[in-house]
Amino acid sequence: MTSRVRIHSNWLSELGEEFPQSAPQIDALAAHMFAKQEKLAALIRFCAARPELRMMWMYAEYSAALDAVALESSESERTTGTQPSGQQRSGRAGHTHNAILDVAETLIQRGEPWNRDKLANLANISPATLYNHFASTSHIIVEAYERLLAA
């Protein structure tokens, strides 16, 4: 695996030299690729220890969500000049946020398809409350997987 990372790193460096006007974007993409690779490797290790999980499905879902969140952050930074910050929640808001993630983790582990309305229903909250806690479904997926992998 290391050799492939090195090949990509060399290729991206050469590409940045060839197109210096795009070097900042290439650097940002490379950083995203390497961070994503580490997160997906952790997911593969997690699933390998649990053969009942749908590894390929989870890999595809988490990979797509990581890309979507990175794209949203990139667009936000491009239009506003700042990165969106993660909100720390406490009290009732923190409880609701955790309840949403608990339900999402359960559905992920079961391999059940879900959407925001189903998640809100199972978490016993309104869809509006769900929207107040998460900017997009991709954000829910990323946070749920990160919590799942950290446990």
Side-chain angles (χ1 to χ4, degrees):
M1 179 111 87
T2 303
S3 62
R4 288 187 178 159
V5 171
R6 199 173 307 118
I7 290 168
H8 286 295
S9 179
N10 290 339
W11 177 77
L12 288 167
S13 294
E14 291 170 7
L15 197 57
E17 291 170 9
E18 185 178 347
F19 300 101
Q21 71 279 8
S22 297
Q25 291 182 50
I26 293 168
D27 289 345
L29 181 58
H32 167 69
M33 287 172 53
F34 295 127
K36 179 180 171 183
Q37 183 178 19
E38 287 181 13
K39 291 176 181 188
L40 291 173
L43 175 67
I44 292 167
R45 281 191 298 278
F46 179 85
C47 290
R50 297 161 184 83
E52 72 279 6
L53 296 177
R54 297 172 53 197
M55 185 185 302
M56 192 64 189
W57 178 82
M58 292 173 75
Y59 180 95
E61 180 179 55
Y62 189 34
S63 179
L66 288 167
D67 288 340
V69 168
L71 182 60
E72 290 170 18
S73 295
S74 171
E75 288 299 309
S76 175
E77 187 176 332
R78 187 178 66 77
T79 58
T80 65
T82 60
Q83 286 261 359
S85 61
Q87 295 178 1
Q88 294 293 335
R89 298 181 186 270
S90 61
R92 185 176 176 151
H95 175 74
T96 301
H97 193 86
N98 287 330
I100 294 165
L101 292 174
D102 289 344
V103 172
E105 282 182 51
T106 299
L107 293 173
I108 287 168
Q109 288 185 35
R110 288 182 187 164
E112 290 183 28
W114 55 276
N115 58 37
R116 289 173 76 101
D117 290 336
K118 180 177 182 177
L119 188 58
N121 185 41
L122 291 172
N124 294 319
I125 59 171
S126 71
T129 300
L130 186 65
Y131 282 94
N132 287 336
H133 283 266
F134 295 95
S136 69
T137 303
S138 296
H139 283 88
I140 299 169
I141 292 169
V142 167
E143 269 196 60
Y145 273 96
E146 287 175 356
R147 256 184 42 165
L148 189 64
L149 296 175

